[in-house]
Amino acid sequence: MASLLRESHPLTLKVIRLARPSLANTQVLPADSADSVLTQALRDIEQNNPTQSGAVFSSDVQASDGMAAALDAQPLSETLVLPRAFGTMYLGETFGAHLCICNESALAVRDILVQISMQTTSQQVPLVDTGDAGRQLAGGQPLNLQVVHEIKELGAHVLACSITYLSAQGERRTLQKSFKFQVANPLVVKTKVNHLARDVLLEVQVHNATPTAMALERLRFDAAAPFAAEDLNTTAEDAPVWGSRAGFMQPGDVRQYLYRLRPQIDAENMTVEQERAVQYATALGKLDIVWRGPFGSIGRLQTSQLLRKSPGMFLIEIESARVLGRRVVVEEPFVARVRVRNVSEQRMAVVAAVNAHKHPMVVVCGPAQHALGDLEVGESAEFDLQLLALAPGVQRVGAVALVDSVSGYTREVDHLLDINVLSS
């Protein structure tokens, strides 16, 4: 009994989460006759308890003649229901709560100090702190507070409330309460990176992991330097590739998006240092997603930096490789022009040698070795390969070794380009 008396407080604390309501579900129970005892009982329930039962009974359904069913026969009623518990929140949403502190005694309570914080596994964020400015509550007088906190972490969250006051007997006392809830991930984002020369093709997969539908208001990719992003998710008429319902995702839906990342500086104007920055950059950018849930509840999620494994770069880079002429015909000589660049930190004397036996369907019919001379840092040079295709179809051109006669560095290039060889 003594312990119970010590724990009793003249102040009470009640907390309700500020959340959007939901539509109440109804149970439609049709009856055979309008004059039956069951019909009358169901009508009495509907009239006496409209907010609890919704439209329990309906005899106005007209389906035989093709007319629409009455509204009160639908599974969702016009009654709005508030959440009965804190429930589960999602990353990117804003948590809001209303707190009511009431003096349930007949005597006044003085010097009330309120401290409210949101506790996670990594930090404690203060939401309300009245400081030293204590206030007084007369008997039966309430004190209402509202707190707002943007959810930025997953896992367990605790709303910790501490109320210190001076009782009517002059005793300093503390009332503490905590409310725990979980934060889940609303969207599962997966990425896949493909390299296309200096460009990067970024595939993004977004999965709705919530039990309700959501409307995507914005899905934007903000590229990190030194890249600029091109959105490839629209048609030629600037319409979404997903059609008119591009913004809506049902529970479990998965959407895929594609972005092309190009260097901010053109290849012709790019210095060696800038090219190294592009090739060795690991950060691609961030996704910024804004969505709306039931009744317009808004959420925003910004991912951390999307990373890639740097492809690196060779000391001698292949800038371009192309066929001179309109077409390639079997057993007719053609020329492939290759452009290379010195991206090392010192001068090079580059020699290009072709392995004539690596790709037997395309053979060399000219010089197998080309001396490109001295190349300073960042300087480029071209050489022509005289080739002959021996079979029609798509054939590979390559098997070129680039050698620096100064340092002895060698780069083997197995694939330069693919060609379509015509029979005639």
Side-chain angles (χ1 to χ4, degrees):
M1 178 64 72
S3 61
L4 293 177
L5 292 176
R6 283 196 303 267
E7 292 299 327
S8 63
H9 292 273
L11 298 181
T12 59
L13 172 63
K14 295 183 179 179
V15 179
I16 181 173
R17 175 186 163 192
L18 300 178
R20 303 297 175 99
S22 59
L23 292 173
N25 292 325
T26 61
Q27 294 181 351
V28 181
L29 302 176
D32 294 336
S33 173
D35 300 328
S36 66
V37 177
L38 178 60
T39 301
Q40 187 60 40
L42 292 176
R43 290 192 183 278
D44 292 341
I45 294 175
E46 182 177 353
Q47 294 174 1
N48 297 333
N49 304 279
T51 60
Q52 297 181 8
S53 63
V56 176
F57 172 77
S58 176
S59 59
D60 301 328
V61 179
Q62 303 290 336
S64 60
D65 56 356
M67 296 179 61
L71 290 178
D72 58 353
Q74 303 304 314
L76 294 179
S77 71
E78 298 180 356
T79 305
L80 299 180
V81 178
L82 292 174
R84 297 188 177 184
F86 272 39
T88 300
M89 292 204 64
Y90 293 98
L91 189 68
E93 293 183 338
T94 300
F95 171 82
H98 183 92
L99 298 90
C100 180
I101 304 171
C102 185
N103 182 7
E104 301 290 349
S105 67
L107 302 176
V109 176
R110 297 177 292 116
D111 295 342
I112 300 175
L113 305 177
V114 181
Q115 290 182 331
I116 302 173
S117 63
M118 183 68 72
Q119 299 176 0
T120 66
T121 56
S122 63
Q123 62 179 340
Q124 179 174 336
V125 181
L127 303 179
V128 174
D129 190 350
T130 58
D132 298 331
R135 60 180 302 169
Q136 178 175 321
L137 289 180
Q141 183 182 0
L143 172 62
N144 295 297
L145 299 171
Q146 286 190 1
V147 294
V148 176
H149 175 67
E150 186 178 353
I151 302 297
K152 297 181 179 180
E153 292 185 41
L154 295 171
H157 284 58
V158 178
L159 182 68
C161 307
S162 177
I163 306 170
T164 304
Y165 62 94
L166 194 65
S167 66
Q169 293 77 23
E171 181 185 1
R172 175 65 64 180
R173 307 185 63 184
T174 301
L175 171 64
Q176 292 182 334
K177 281 192 175 182
S178 61
F179 304 87
K180 186 177 181 179
F181 61 94
Q182 293 290 331
V183 174
N185 202 348
L187 298 170
V188 178
V189 179
K190 298 181 180 180
T191 59
K192 183 180 179 181
V193 176
N194 300 280
H195 295 100
L196 187 63
R198 294 180 179 87
D199 297 352
V200 178
L201 290 177
L202 177 64
E203 300 178 37
V204 178
Q205 185 182 89
V206 180
H207 171 222
N208 179 9
T210 68
T212 59
M214 64 171 57
L216 293 180
E217 284 197 346
R218 183 177 73 219
L219 194 149
R220 185 185 67 209
F221 180 76
D222 299 323
F227 295 106
E230 178 187 359
D231 192 342
L232 302 181
N233 303 296
T234 55
T235 61
E237 294 78 17
D238 289 336
V241 294
W242 292 99
S244 60
R245 294 183 57 83
F248 291 93
M249 293 183 65
Q250 297 298 326
D253 276 3
V254 177
R255 296 285 173 84
Q256 287 185 313
Y257 300 88
L258 183 63
Y259 300 91
R260 182 167 184 168
L261 279 62
R262 304 175 186 268
Q264 296 175 346
I265 304 174
D266 295 335
E268 293 78 7
N269 303 323
M270 191 179 297
T271 64
V272 175
E273 290 75 13
Q274 292 169 336
E275 186 163 357
R276 288 198 189 99
V278 171
Q279 295 294 340
Y280 287 101
T282 57
L284 299 179
K286 298 180 179 181
L287 273 176
D288 189 13
I289 307 173
V290 178
W291 72 91
R292 288 191 179 271
F295 282 83
S297 60
I298 193 168
R300 179 181 178 183
L301 181 64
Q302 188 179 65
T303 66
S304 57
Q305 281 284 358
L306 302 180
L307 304 177
R308 68 164 179 172
K309 184 178 179 181
S310 170
M313 61 188 301
F314 297 95
L315 299 182
I316 306 175
E317 284 289 338
I318 304 294
E319 285 194 321
S320 64
R322 58 191 178 91
V323 173
L324 302 182
R326 289 189 173 183
R327 61 178 190 167
V328 178
V329 180
V330 65
E331 296 185 354
E332 290 186 9
F334 67 95
V335 176
R337 178 165 294 174
V338 182
R339 183 181 180 88
V340 299
R341 187 185 187 191
N342 176 14
V343 292
S344 68
E345 298 180 351
Q346 60 186 4
R347 180 180 59 85
M348 283 186 167
V350 180
V351 176
V354 183
N355 185 348
H357 305 288
K358 187 67 176 290
H359 300 299
M361 294 297 100
V362 179
V363 298
V364 179
C365 60
Q369 185 168 308
H370 302 266
L372 306 184
D374 293 340
L375 296 180
E376 299 295 335
V377 176
E379 190 178 356
S380 301
E382 293 180 341
F383 64 95
D384 293 339
L385 295 177
Q386 299 179 16
L387 305 171
L388 182 70
L390 302 180
V394 178
Q395 305 295 343
R396 170 175 291 192
V397 177
V400 176
L402 301 174
V403 182
D404 175 25
S405 58
V406 176
S407 63
Y409 171 79
T410 302
R411 178 187 174 185
E412 298 284 347
V413 183
D414 183 63
H415 177 249
L416 285 175
L417 74 160
D418 292 320
I419 57 174
N420 184 23
V421 182
L422 304 178
S423 59
S424 60

